[in-house]
Amino acid sequence: MKATLFAAIAMLLSIASPAFAAVGPQEHSGILVWAFIGFFGLIVVAQLVPAALVLIGIARSFAVGHQQIN
């Protein structure tokens, strides 16, 4: 029984082949990579819009405050 088990394991290990990995740089990215980049861009734009509105509001408040002083 032991000899049969060892023989089966030896045969299994002898026919095992290495995984096929990419040899060089990939020429194209998958759809998931582009979806992640697009989602990241959407988050950045969604955060820039309120920031721009706040900056415009601050600039207007400085302009109105400056006009009230004169």
Side-chain angles (χ1 to χ4, degrees):
M1 182 70 180
K2 263 188 184 180
T4 307
L5 181 63
F6 286 135
I9 291 174
M11 284 185 0
L12 183 64
L13 291 177
S14 68
I15 61 171
S17 62
F20 296 108
V23 177
Q26 294 292 327
E27 295 296 324
H28 61 282
S29 298
I31 187 71
L32 292 177
V33 173
W34 287 110
F36 177 75
I37 292 171
F39 185 68
F40 179 73
L42 185 67
I43 290 173
V44 169
V45 169
Q47 291 183 2
L48 285 177
V49 170
L53 292 175
V54 168
L55 288 176
I56 290 171
I58 290 172
R60 284 185 182 171
S61 68
F62 280 138
V64 170
H66 183 66
Q67 289 176 355
Q68 289 178 354
I69 294 174
N70 292 334

